[in-house]
Amino acid sequence: DWIATWEAAGKSVVVASLADPWSLRAVPKAAGLVTTYDPSPASQLAVAAALFGESAIGGRLPVSLAPRWELGHGLAVDVRYGAPLSPVEPEEVGLSSEGLERAGEILEQGIRDRAMPGAVALVMRHGKIALQRSWGRMSYEPSAPPMKVDTVFDLASLTKVIVTTTLSMLQSERGNLNLELPVSAYLPELVGEEKSQITVADLLTHSSGILWWSDLYLRHGDLPPEEARRAYLEEIVALPLESVPGTEMRYSDLGILLLGEILERVTATPLDVAAQREIFDPLGMTETRFGPPAELLPRIAPTELDSEWRGRMVHGEVH
């Protein structure tokens, strides 16, 4: 009766039987039926993982329960999210509890030395969490909220690895981006005898010879976004090279900005949208994004005090 009431109210009901399946014959119409034949804790965990998309469903009935559920009946549901990460004792995965305690002591000392106001550590091995803990506060202010294990941090230059490089590899695998082609094949604006030698691979390996940094934001940061974008690109491609392409490896922010421009042209999609669609959503990275919303600010650790340009603390925005 309870199930029928929910169905009549327009609610989708999934019935899970943790015993023999015969009782399901008495169940009224439901959106889904799951049976395990077994009430053990392991079966309960398996049902939860299947219902929440952490494991695939592909079993078939070994018996006939009713005309609508014949022998061999079953649904195929793919994995939607990865298996949850579970904590274990460090020794279970070949790590040392004493060593991890020492790592925590080093972080605590760093906080006392004001190298940082707080920290979060996550140590994993073989998909298991051996250490997950937070220390200190989100800033040096005495009233700052405590650091928590779910504090959100500015990934800053890790964006190069997590987004730009990953999208480049995806487009390369799909045949949309040739790493060996000159950058000018995708950005005709990049002209000049030596500049024509720069390949997409050179941008990825920071071997393009392009200047590593320029204070573009001081000269163009007050322009509307699209105008600033054009101004950035025009200035980067006009800068003289620091070295012959492919001869020296020097970390370059500006080279990666060009790679981001290439990706947007190849995919005809803004970089943040492509990252969400191609990386964050498929991996279940629900709190990784460009430009986080205001409601997430209480959980975001400030980046640093920008006294030279903004004259304030940078918090939840691009540095």
Side-chain angles (χ1 to χ4, degrees):
D1 291 342
W2 183 77
I3 294 171
T5 299
W6 280 100
E7 286 286 349
K11 305 292 185 181
S12 294
V13 178
V14 175
V15 177
S17 167
L18 296 171
D20 69 75
W22 304 107
S23 58
L24 293 176
R25 290 185 295 182
V27 173
K29 182 181 179 182
L33 303 174
V34 181
T35 180
T36 68
Y37 278 69
D38 177 17
S40 69
S43 285
Q44 294 178 40
L45 289 173
V47 168
L51 293 178
F52 284 92
E54 294 162 3
S55 63
I57 299 175
R60 302 291 169 180
L61 278 176
V63 296
S64 292
L65 297 182
R68 54 180 168 159
W69 302 318
E70 295 285 351
L71 173 70
H73 181 84
L75 298 176
V77 181
D78 290 333
V79 173
R80 291 181 58 204
Y81 306 107
L85 305 175
S86 55
V88 296
E89 293 298 322
E91 283 71 19
E92 292 182 45
V93 288
L95 296 176
S96 163
S97 294
E98 292 182 0
L100 294 181
E101 288 177 8
R102 174 62 184 144
E105 291 170 2
I106 293 172
L107 290 176
E108 290 175 340
Q109 185 61 50
I111 293 171
R112 288 193 292 271
D113 293 342
R114 294 181 71 82
M116 58 213 171
V120 179
L122 174 67
V123 179
M124 291 179 54
R125 195 174 191 208
H126 304 316
K128 304 293 183 180
I129 298 174
L131 172 69
Q132 186 176 23
R133 187 182 162 192
S134 61
W135 296 263
R137 295 184 177 277
M138 286 197 187
S139 75
Y140 290 112
E141 296 296 326
S143 60
M147 197 71 81
K148 297 182 179 180
V149 293
D150 66 348
T151 294
V152 177
F153 291 91
D154 177 11
L155 291 174
S157 283
L158 288 179
T159 307
K160 297 178 177 69
V161 179
I162 295 170
V163 173
T164 318
T165 302
T166 306
L167 288 176
S168 297
M169 295 298 97
L170 288 169
Q171 293 306 313
S172 175
E173 288 178 353
R174 294 168 186 172
N176 299 327
L177 181 66
N178 187 332
L179 305 186
E180 304 308 317
L181 280 181
V183 171
S184 57
Y186 300 99
L187 300 179
E189 303 95 318
L190 191 69
V191 294
E193 185 175 346
E194 287 190 332
K195 291 178 181 177
S196 65
Q197 301 173 24
I198 302 172
T199 66
V200 177
D202 289 333
L203 297 181
L204 281 163
T205 58
H206 296 273
S207 303
S208 66
I210 294 173
L211 190 69
W212 82 275
W213 176 86
S214 176
D215 57 353
L216 301 174
Y217 59 93
L218 289 180
R219 293 190 299 284
H220 310 304
D222 293 332
L223 294 174
E226 280 307 311
E227 288 185 33
R229 180 193 188 90
R230 287 193 296 271
Y232 282 13
L233 182 60
E234 290 171 2
E235 185 163 338
I236 293 172
V237 299
L239 288 169
L241 298 181
E242 284 194 306
S243 59
V244 176
T247 62
E248 294 185 31
M249 185 177 292
R250 290 186 182 179
Y251 184 90
S252 173
D253 286 335
L254 305 188
I256 295 295
L257 287 177
L258 292 186
L259 185 56
E261 179 70 21
I262 290 173
L263 289 168
E264 293 205 342
R265 295 188 186 187
V266 166
T267 62
T269 307
L271 199 70
D272 58 333
V273 175
Q276 192 74 45
R277 183 182 65 202
E278 302 282 355
I279 303 170
F280 305 152
D281 286 346
L283 292 177
M285 298 168 68
T286 58
E287 294 182 343
T288 305
R289 70 194 73 187
F290 286 79
E295 57 265 26
L296 202 57
L297 278 179
R299 286 182 46 210
I300 298 177
T303 303
E304 72 169 5
L305 179 62
D306 177 8
S307 56
E308 294 185 4
W309 182 32
R310 291 183 173 95
R312 58 177 170 80
M313 185 72 75
V314 179
H315 185 200
E317 57 185 311
V318 176
H319 191 282

